[in-house]
mmCIF file of all heavy atoms in Angstrom:
data_model
loop_
_atom_site.group_PDB
_atom_site.id
_atom_site.type_symbol
_atom_site.label_atom_id
_atom_site.label_comp_id
_atom_site.label_asym_id
_atom_site.label_seq_id
_atom_site.Cartn_x
_atom_site.Cartn_y
_atom_site.Cartn_z
ATOM 1 N N GLY A 1 6.573 4.414 -2.016
ATOM 2 C CA GLY A 1 6.346 2.935 -2.022
ATOM 3 C C GLY A 1 5.750 2.408 -3.277
ATOM 4 O O GLY A 1 6.128 1.389 -3.751
ATOM 5 N N PHE A 2 4.786 3.215 -3.914
ATOM 6 C CA PHE A 2 4.177 2.749 -5.052
ATOM 7 C C PHE A 2 5.157 2.644 -6.290
ATOM 8 O O PHE A 2 5.218 1.725 -6.965
ATOM 9 C CB PHE A 2 3.018 3.672 -5.483
ATOM 10 C CG PHE A 2 2.376 3.447 -6.707
ATOM 11 C CD1 PHE A 2 1.434 2.428 -6.975
ATOM 12 C CD2 PHE A 2 2.819 4.265 -7.935
ATOM 13 C CE1 PHE A 2 0.962 2.162 -8.187
ATOM 14 C CE2 PHE A 2 2.360 3.918 -9.100
ATOM 15 C CZ PHE A 2 1.295 2.948 -9.283
ATOM 16 N N TRP A 3 5.881 3.683 -6.373
ATOM 17 C CA TRP A 3 6.911 3.755 -7.560
ATOM 18 C C TRP A 3 8.036 2.740 -7.289
ATOM 19 O O TRP A 3 8.630 2.258 -8.285
ATOM 20 C CB TRP A 3 7.311 5.118 -7.807
ATOM 21 C CG TRP A 3 6.337 6.019 -8.462
ATOM 22 C CD1 TRP A 3 5.648 7.023 -7.922
ATOM 23 C CD2 TRP A 3 5.852 5.813 -9.885
ATOM 24 N NE1 TRP A 3 4.791 7.517 -8.884
ATOM 25 C CE2 TRP A 3 4.890 6.830 -9.964
ATOM 26 C CE3 TRP A 3 6.231 4.952 -10.883
ATOM 27 C CZ2 TRP A 3 4.184 7.027 -11.218
ATOM 28 C CZ3 TRP A 3 5.537 5.087 -12.036
ATOM 29 C CH2 TRP A 3 4.547 5.949 -12.284
ATOM 30 N N LEU A 4 8.326 2.451 -6.119
ATOM 31 C CA LEU A 4 9.490 1.597 -5.842
ATOM 32 C C LEU A 4 9.056 0.169 -6.218
ATOM 33 O O LEU A 4 9.744 -0.558 -6.872
ATOM 34 C CB LEU A 4 9.891 1.555 -4.330
ATOM 35 C CG LEU A 4 10.942 0.688 -3.817
ATOM 36 C CD1 LEU A 4 12.288 1.289 -4.680
ATOM 37 C CD2 LEU A 4 11.294 0.855 -2.416
ATOM 38 N N LEU A 5 7.669 -0.195 -5.918
ATOM 39 C CA LEU A 5 7.173 -1.453 -6.406
ATOM 40 C C LEU A 5 6.971 -1.457 -7.763
ATOM 41 O O LEU A 5 7.215 -2.528 -8.491
ATOM 42 C CB LEU A 5 5.817 -1.715 -5.473
ATOM 43 C CG LEU A 5 5.948 -2.082 -4.135
ATOM 44 C CD1 LEU A 5 4.534 -2.057 -3.458
ATOM 45 C CD2 LEU A 5 6.569 -3.385 -3.865
ATOM 46 N N ALA A 6 6.527 -0.376 -8.333
ATOM 47 C CA ALA A 6 6.205 -0.374 -9.817
ATOM 48 C C ALA A 6 7.566 -0.447 -10.627
ATOM 49 O O ALA A 6 7.686 -0.957 -11.720
ATOM 50 C CB ALA A 6 5.565 0.961 -10.269
ATOM 51 N N SER A 7 8.664 0.091 -9.971
ATOM 52 C CA SER A 7 9.898 -0.006 -10.623
ATOM 53 C C SER A 7 10.397 -1.457 -10.861
ATOM 54 O O SER A 7 11.278 -1.617 -11.732
ATOM 55 C CB SER A 7 11.014 0.890 -9.835
ATOM 56 O OG SER A 7 11.150 0.202 -8.542
ATOM 57 N N ILE A 8 9.901 -2.374 -10.108
ATOM 58 C CA ILE A 8 10.283 -3.668 -10.268
ATOM 59 C C ILE A 8 9.886 -4.228 -11.631
ATOM 60 O O ILE A 8 10.728 -4.810 -12.413
ATOM 61 C CB ILE A 8 9.821 -4.621 -9.156
ATOM 62 C CG1 ILE A 8 10.427 -4.354 -7.857
ATOM 63 C CG2 ILE A 8 10.057 -6.116 -9.507
ATOM 64 C CD1 ILE A 8 9.913 -5.040 -6.571
ATOM 65 N N GLY A 9 8.580 -4.004 -11.862
ATOM 66 C CA GLY A 9 8.165 -4.393 -13.355
ATOM 67 C C GLY A 9 8.711 -3.547 -14.395
ATOM 68 O O GLY A 9 9.171 -4.038 -15.404
ATOM 69 N N ILE A 10 8.861 -2.260 -14.072
ATOM 70 C CA ILE A 10 9.506 -1.368 -15.186
ATOM 71 C C ILE A 10 10.985 -1.798 -15.578
ATOM 72 O O ILE A 10 11.417 -1.948 -16.698
ATOM 73 C CB ILE A 10 9.480 0.118 -14.684
ATOM 74 C CG1 ILE A 10 8.052 0.593 -14.539
ATOM 75 C CG2 ILE A 10 10.268 0.967 -15.611
ATOM 76 C CD1 ILE A 10 7.944 1.955 -13.942
ATOM 77 N N THR A 11 11.804 -2.015 -14.487
ATOM 78 C CA THR A 11 13.185 -2.443 -14.710
ATOM 79 C C THR A 11 13.282 -3.853 -15.350
ATOM 80 O O THR A 11 14.128 -4.072 -16.116
ATOM 81 C CB THR A 11 14.008 -2.407 -13.431
ATOM 82 O OG1 THR A 11 13.310 -3.229 -12.453
ATOM 83 C CG2 THR A 11 14.164 -1.037 -12.864
ATOM 84 N N ALA A 12 12.342 -4.692 -14.972
ATOM 85 C CA ALA A 12 12.290 -6.092 -15.592
ATOM 86 C C ALA A 12 12.109 -5.909 -17.092
ATOM 87 O O ALA A 12 12.729 -6.665 -17.841
ATOM 88 C CB ALA A 12 11.289 -6.961 -14.858
ATOM 89 N N VAL A 13 11.174 -5.025 -17.457
ATOM 90 C CA VAL A 13 10.802 -4.829 -18.826
ATOM 91 C C VAL A 13 11.966 -4.250 -19.592
ATOM 92 O O VAL A 13 12.409 -4.677 -20.734
ATOM 93 C CB VAL A 13 9.617 -3.966 -18.997
ATOM 94 C CG1 VAL A 13 9.381 -3.558 -20.501
ATOM 95 C CG2 VAL A 13 8.331 -4.789 -18.510
ATOM 96 N N LEU A 14 12.603 -3.253 -19.046
ATOM 97 C CA LEU A 14 13.645 -2.505 -19.487
ATOM 98 C C LEU A 14 14.887 -3.529 -19.732
ATOM 99 O O LEU A 14 15.572 -3.452 -20.816
ATOM 100 C CB LEU A 14 14.171 -1.397 -18.815
ATOM 101 C CG LEU A 14 13.223 -0.207 -18.783
ATOM 102 C CD1 LEU A 14 13.597 0.975 -17.890
ATOM 103 C CD2 LEU A 14 13.045 0.420 -20.137
ATOM 104 N N ALA A 15 15.267 -4.299 -18.709
ATOM 105 C CA ALA A 15 16.364 -5.204 -18.805
ATOM 106 C C ALA A 15 16.115 -6.350 -19.977
ATOM 107 O O ALA A 15 16.998 -6.638 -20.659
ATOM 108 C CB ALA A 15 16.569 -5.934 -17.469
ATOM 109 N N THR A 16 14.869 -6.758 -19.934
ATOM 110 C CA THR A 16 14.618 -7.691 -21.061
ATOM 111 C C THR A 16 14.714 -7.113 -22.429
ATOM 112 O O THR A 16 15.200 -7.806 -23.370
ATOM 113 C CB THR A 16 13.050 -8.194 -20.907
ATOM 114 O OG1 THR A 16 12.990 -8.784 -19.511
ATOM 115 C CG2 THR A 16 12.730 -9.234 -21.971
ATOM 116 N N GLY A 17 14.242 -5.870 -22.617
ATOM 117 C CA GLY A 17 14.409 -5.227 -23.889
ATOM 118 C C GLY A 17 15.907 -4.962 -24.217
ATOM 119 O O GLY A 17 16.227 -5.171 -25.446
ATOM 120 N N ALA A 18 16.725 -4.700 -23.203
ATOM 121 C CA ALA A 18 18.228 -4.494 -23.503
ATOM 122 C C ALA A 18 18.804 -5.749 -23.983
ATOM 123 O O ALA A 18 19.664 -5.687 -24.827
ATOM 124 C CB ALA A 18 18.847 -3.934 -22.180
ATOM 125 N N VAL A 19 18.447 -6.881 -23.458
ATOM 126 C CA VAL A 19 18.987 -8.239 -23.851
ATOM 127 C C VAL A 19 18.621 -8.387 -25.325
ATOM 128 O O VAL A 19 19.393 -8.852 -26.161
ATOM 129 C CB VAL A 19 18.514 -9.313 -22.963
ATOM 130 C CG1 VAL A 19 18.970 -10.675 -23.457
ATOM 131 C CG2 VAL A 19 19.040 -9.138 -21.565
ATOM 132 N N ILE A 20 17.347 -8.135 -25.688
ATOM 133 C CA ILE A 20 16.888 -8.468 -27.010
ATOM 134 C C ILE A 20 17.548 -7.485 -27.985
ATOM 135 O O ILE A 20 18.035 -7.905 -29.099
ATOM 136 C CB ILE A 20 15.323 -8.224 -27.142
ATOM 137 C CG1 ILE A 20 14.560 -9.292 -26.265
ATOM 138 C CG2 ILE A 20 14.856 -8.169 -28.549
ATOM 139 C CD1 ILE A 20 13.018 -9.050 -26.131
ATOM 140 N N ILE A 21 17.781 -6.260 -27.582
ATOM 141 C CA ILE A 21 18.362 -5.306 -28.523
ATOM 142 C C ILE A 21 19.927 -5.547 -28.656
ATOM 143 O O ILE A 21 20.355 -5.482 -29.843
ATOM 144 C CB ILE A 21 18.084 -3.880 -28.087
ATOM 145 C CG1 ILE A 21 16.552 -3.741 -28.178
ATOM 146 C CG2 ILE A 21 18.769 -2.800 -28.910
ATOM 147 C CD1 ILE A 21 16.032 -2.253 -27.624
ATOM 148 N N PHE A 22 20.537 -5.719 -27.611
ATOM 149 C CA PHE A 22 22.041 -5.698 -27.594
ATOM 150 C C PHE A 22 22.701 -7.057 -27.562
ATOM 151 O O PHE A 22 23.889 -7.100 -28.005
ATOM 152 C CB PHE A 22 22.610 -4.799 -26.377
ATOM 153 C CG PHE A 22 22.027 -3.375 -26.375
ATOM 154 C CD1 PHE A 22 21.080 -2.980 -25.564
ATOM 155 C CD2 PHE A 22 22.586 -2.497 -27.363
ATOM 156 C CE1 PHE A 22 20.699 -1.672 -25.490
ATOM 157 C CE2 PHE A 22 22.222 -1.154 -27.271
ATOM 158 C CZ PHE A 22 21.187 -0.718 -26.347
ATOM 159 N N ALA A 23 21.975 -8.042 -27.145
ATOM 160 C CA ALA A 23 22.692 -9.344 -27.087
ATOM 161 C C ALA A 23 22.673 -9.960 -28.553
ATOM 162 O O ALA A 23 21.861 -9.755 -29.406
ATOM 163 C CB ALA A 23 21.927 -10.247 -26.173
ATOM 164 N N SER A 24 23.767 -10.732 -28.765
ATOM 165 C CA SER A 24 23.843 -11.433 -29.962
ATOM 166 C C SER A 24 22.952 -12.705 -30.044
ATOM 167 O O SER A 24 22.365 -13.038 -28.991
ATOM 168 C CB SER A 24 25.343 -12.008 -30.219
ATOM 169 O OG SER A 24 25.641 -12.836 -29.108
ATOM 170 N N ASP A 25 22.798 -13.186 -31.165
ATOM 171 C CA ASP A 25 21.691 -14.267 -31.321
ATOM 172 C C ASP A 25 21.932 -15.477 -30.414
ATOM 173 O O ASP A 25 20.991 -16.021 -29.911
ATOM 174 C CB ASP A 25 21.580 -14.697 -32.805
ATOM 175 C CG ASP A 25 21.070 -13.575 -33.712
ATOM 176 O OD1 ASP A 25 20.655 -12.630 -33.153
ATOM 177 O OD2 ASP A 25 21.180 -13.846 -34.916
ATOM 178 N N ASP A 26 23.229 -15.875 -30.188
ATOM 179 C CA ASP A 26 23.513 -17.039 -29.469
ATOM 180 C C ASP A 26 23.414 -16.784 -27.909
ATOM 181 O O ASP A 26 23.459 -17.610 -27.187
ATOM 182 C CB ASP A 26 24.937 -17.520 -29.813
ATOM 183 C CG ASP A 26 25.958 -16.446 -29.493
ATOM 184 O OD1 ASP A 26 25.649 -15.287 -29.569
ATOM 185 O OD2 ASP A 26 27.152 -16.900 -29.335
ATOM 186 N N GLN A 27 23.297 -15.418 -27.590
ATOM 187 C CA GLN A 27 23.025 -15.193 -26.194
ATOM 188 C C GLN A 27 21.616 -14.831 -25.824
ATOM 189 O O GLN A 27 21.325 -14.512 -24.627
ATOM 190 C CB GLN A 27 23.897 -13.777 -25.871
ATOM 191 C CG GLN A 27 25.381 -13.984 -25.924
ATOM 192 C CD GLN A 27 26.066 -12.762 -25.704
ATOM 193 O OE1 GLN A 27 25.640 -11.629 -25.880
ATOM 194 N NE2 GLN A 27 27.300 -12.900 -25.095
ATOM 195 N N ILE A 28 20.768 -15.083 -26.726
ATOM 196 C CA ILE A 28 19.223 -15.046 -26.463
ATOM 197 C C ILE A 28 18.819 -16.283 -25.668
ATOM 198 O O ILE A 28 18.325 -17.218 -26.330
ATOM 199 C CB ILE A 28 18.450 -14.718 -27.700
ATOM 200 C CG1 ILE A 28 18.848 -13.468 -28.373
ATOM 201 C CG2 ILE A 28 16.982 -14.742 -27.391
ATOM 202 C CD1 ILE A 28 18.661 -12.238 -27.634
ATOM 203 N N THR A 29 19.134 -16.394 -24.435
ATOM 204 C CA THR A 29 18.810 -17.636 -23.632
ATOM 205 C C THR A 29 18.107 -17.065 -22.316
ATOM 206 O O THR A 29 18.162 -15.969 -21.955
ATOM 207 C CB THR A 29 19.974 -18.418 -23.259
ATOM 208 O OG1 THR A 29 20.803 -17.573 -22.388
ATOM 209 C CG2 THR A 29 20.853 -18.656 -24.486
ATOM 210 N N TYR A 30 17.381 -18.022 -21.856
ATOM 211 C CA TYR A 30 16.618 -17.572 -20.613
ATOM 212 C C TYR A 30 17.535 -17.259 -19.398
ATOM 213 O O TYR A 30 17.260 -16.488 -18.581
ATOM 214 C CB TYR A 30 15.660 -18.618 -20.108
ATOM 215 C CG TYR A 30 14.687 -18.453 -19.169
ATOM 216 C CD1 TYR A 30 13.917 -17.184 -19.148
ATOM 217 C CD2 TYR A 30 14.416 -19.207 -17.956
ATOM 218 C CE1 TYR A 30 12.999 -16.832 -18.252
ATOM 219 C CE2 TYR A 30 13.456 -18.869 -17.005
ATOM 220 C CZ TYR A 30 12.738 -17.687 -17.139
ATOM 221 O OH TYR A 30 11.921 -17.319 -16.179
ATOM 222 N N ASP A 31 18.633 -17.958 -19.356
ATOM 223 C CA ASP A 31 19.653 -17.698 -18.313
ATOM 224 C C ASP A 31 20.145 -16.116 -18.339
ATOM 225 O O ASP A 31 20.086 -15.397 -17.335
ATOM 226 C CB ASP A 31 20.882 -18.507 -18.393
ATOM 227 C CG ASP A 31 21.783 -18.475 -17.355
ATOM 228 O OD1 ASP A 31 21.495 -17.880 -16.253
ATOM 229 O OD2 ASP A 31 23.015 -18.969 -17.413
ATOM 230 N N ASN A 32 20.347 -15.668 -19.682
ATOM 231 C CA ASN A 32 20.801 -14.178 -19.827
ATOM 232 C C ASN A 32 19.725 -13.272 -19.442
ATOM 233 O O ASN A 32 19.826 -12.280 -18.857
ATOM 234 C CB ASN A 32 21.317 -14.035 -21.205
ATOM 235 C CG ASN A 32 22.695 -14.641 -21.462
ATOM 236 O OD1 ASN A 32 23.505 -14.848 -20.465
ATOM 237 N ND2 ASN A 32 22.945 -15.158 -22.660
ATOM 238 N N PHE A 33 18.359 -13.649 -19.859
ATOM 239 C CA PHE A 33 17.323 -12.858 -19.376
ATOM 240 C C PHE A 33 17.108 -12.791 -17.912
ATOM 241 O O PHE A 33 16.849 -11.758 -17.275
ATOM 242 C CB PHE A 33 16.054 -13.331 -20.132
ATOM 243 C CG PHE A 33 15.881 -12.963 -21.491
ATOM 244 C CD1 PHE A 33 16.084 -13.859 -22.620
ATOM 245 C CD2 PHE A 33 15.470 -11.673 -21.891
ATOM 246 C CE1 PHE A 33 16.011 -13.538 -23.795
ATOM 247 C CE2 PHE A 33 15.415 -11.294 -23.291
ATOM 248 C CZ PHE A 33 15.567 -12.231 -24.230
ATOM 249 N N GLY A 34 17.236 -13.976 -17.281
ATOM 250 C CA GLY A 34 17.059 -13.969 -15.768
ATOM 251 C C GLY A 34 18.154 -13.168 -15.078
ATOM 252 O O GLY A 34 17.973 -12.601 -14.143
ATOM 253 N N ALA A 35 19.474 -13.194 -15.628
ATOM 254 C CA ALA A 35 20.560 -12.472 -15.060
ATOM 255 C C ALA A 35 20.339 -11.041 -15.189
ATOM 256 O O ALA A 35 20.551 -10.295 -14.272
ATOM 257 C CB ALA A 35 21.864 -12.817 -15.641
ATOM 258 N N ALA A 36 19.838 -10.562 -16.268
ATOM 259 C CA ALA A 36 19.470 -9.142 -16.589
ATOM 260 C C ALA A 36 18.461 -8.585 -15.683
ATOM 261 O O ALA A 36 18.617 -7.539 -15.099
ATOM 262 C CB ALA A 36 19.299 -9.058 -18.120
ATOM 263 N N VAL A 37 17.356 -9.515 -15.647
ATOM 264 C CA VAL A 37 16.271 -8.994 -14.784
ATOM 265 C C VAL A 37 16.545 -9.112 -13.226
ATOM 266 O O VAL A 37 16.189 -8.257 -12.520
ATOM 267 C CB VAL A 37 15.092 -9.767 -15.196
ATOM 268 C CG1 VAL A 37 13.930 -9.558 -14.191
ATOM 269 C CG2 VAL A 37 14.551 -9.631 -16.560
ATOM 270 N N GLY A 38 17.392 -9.952 -12.857
ATOM 271 C CA GLY A 38 17.684 -10.189 -11.412
ATOM 272 C C GLY A 38 18.525 -9.180 -10.837
ATOM 273 O O GLY A 38 18.380 -8.933 -9.598
ATOM 274 N N VAL A 39 19.460 -8.483 -11.570
ATOM 275 C CA VAL A 39 20.256 -7.522 -10.958
ATOM 276 C C VAL A 39 19.608 -6.312 -10.345
ATOM 277 O O VAL A 39 19.699 -6.031 -9.157
ATOM 278 C CB VAL A 39 21.354 -7.015 -12.001
ATOM 279 C CG1 VAL A 39 22.127 -5.831 -11.459
ATOM 280 C CG2 VAL A 39 22.346 -8.136 -12.391
ATOM 281 N N PRO A 40 18.719 -5.699 -11.109
ATOM 282 C CA PRO A 40 17.940 -4.575 -10.484
ATOM 283 C C PRO A 40 16.951 -5.052 -9.416
ATOM 284 O O PRO A 40 16.776 -4.311 -8.383
ATOM 285 C CB PRO A 40 17.148 -3.899 -11.664
ATOM 286 C CG PRO A 40 17.057 -4.936 -12.655
ATOM 287 C CD PRO A 40 18.282 -5.715 -12.487
ATOM 288 N N ILE A 41 16.325 -6.181 -9.502
ATOM 289 C CA ILE A 41 15.504 -6.676 -8.524
ATOM 290 C C ILE A 41 16.197 -7.013 -7.235
ATOM 291 O O ILE A 41 15.664 -6.800 -6.132
ATOM 292 C CB ILE A 41 14.688 -7.921 -9.079
ATOM 293 C CG1 ILE A 41 13.701 -7.437 -10.122
ATOM 294 C CG2 ILE A 41 14.032 -8.723 -7.926
ATOM 295 C CD1 ILE A 41 12.916 -8.573 -10.742
ATOM 296 N N ALA A 42 17.470 -7.605 -7.351
ATOM 297 C CA ALA A 42 18.196 -7.889 -6.161
ATOM 298 C C ALA A 42 18.482 -6.657 -5.286
ATOM 299 O O ALA A 42 18.755 -6.724 -3.998
ATOM 300 C CB ALA A 42 19.510 -8.612 -6.558
ATOM 301 N N ILE A 43 18.564 -5.467 -5.914
ATOM 302 C CA ILE A 43 18.804 -4.206 -5.210
ATOM 303 C C ILE A 43 17.418 -3.592 -4.755
ATOM 304 O O ILE A 43 17.453 -3.070 -3.665
ATOM 305 C CB ILE A 43 19.435 -3.243 -6.184
ATOM 306 C CG1 ILE A 43 20.886 -3.698 -6.659
ATOM 307 C CG2 ILE A 43 19.631 -1.879 -5.570
ATOM 308 C CD1 ILE A 43 21.496 -2.950 -7.640
ATOM 309 N N LEU A 44 16.437 -3.731 -5.513
ATOM 310 C CA LEU A 44 15.153 -3.078 -5.154
ATOM 311 C C LEU A 44 14.346 -3.816 -4.031
ATOM 312 O O LEU A 44 13.827 -3.083 -3.164
ATOM 313 C CB LEU A 44 14.186 -2.964 -6.436
ATOM 314 C CG LEU A 44 14.758 -2.069 -7.452
ATOM 315 C CD1 LEU A 44 13.801 -2.097 -8.670
ATOM 316 C CD2 LEU A 44 14.758 -0.512 -6.979
ATOM 317 N N LEU A 45 14.462 -5.082 -4.040
ATOM 318 C CA LEU A 45 13.606 -5.873 -2.999
ATOM 319 C C LEU A 45 14.027 -5.519 -1.565
ATOM 320 O O LEU A 45 13.195 -5.339 -0.710
ATOM 321 C CB LEU A 45 13.723 -7.399 -3.329
ATOM 322 C CG LEU A 45 12.917 -7.877 -4.576
ATOM 323 C CD1 LEU A 45 13.040 -9.400 -4.578
ATOM 324 C CD2 LEU A 45 11.415 -7.462 -4.313
ATOM 325 N N PRO A 46 15.402 -5.519 -1.270
ATOM 326 C CA PRO A 46 15.690 -5.153 0.083
ATOM 327 C C PRO A 46 15.345 -3.639 0.438
ATOM 328 O O PRO A 46 15.001 -3.449 1.625
ATOM 329 C CB PRO A 46 17.291 -5.291 0.055
ATOM 330 C CG PRO A 46 17.513 -6.242 -1.048
ATOM 331 C CD PRO A 46 16.556 -5.998 -2.056
ATOM 332 N N MET A 47 15.328 -2.716 -0.592
ATOM 333 C CA MET A 47 14.808 -1.465 -0.145
ATOM 334 C C MET A 47 13.305 -1.385 0.217
ATOM 335 O O MET A 47 12.970 -0.719 1.125
ATOM 336 C CB MET A 47 14.976 -0.530 -1.427
ATOM 337 C CG MET A 47 16.327 -0.402 -1.968
ATOM 338 S SD MET A 47 17.531 0.276 -0.830
ATOM 339 C CE MET A 47 18.497 -1.242 -0.418
#
């Protein structure tokens, strides 16, 4: 339970870092950050 909850913050940080590293300059938008962070969270929260 602890690591499942902690993984929400961990995956959010990793997804944000991935957008910064791999996205082009014109794709650095809040919408793209939200989409990247939202995918793992949408899977983890129901668990």
Side-chain angles (χ1 to χ4, degrees):
F2 172 80
W3 284 110
L4 187 60
L5 289 171
S7 63
I8 292 177
I10 294 172
T11 54
V13 172
L14 292 176
T16 301
V19 173
I20 294 175
I21 294 173
F22 298 108
S24 59
D25 292 353
D26 60 337
Q27 292 179 332
I28 302 295
T29 66
Y30 192 46
D31 188 13
N32 288 329
F33 280 104
V37 172
V39 171
I41 288 181
I43 297 174
L44 292 173
L45 285 181
M47 301 299 106

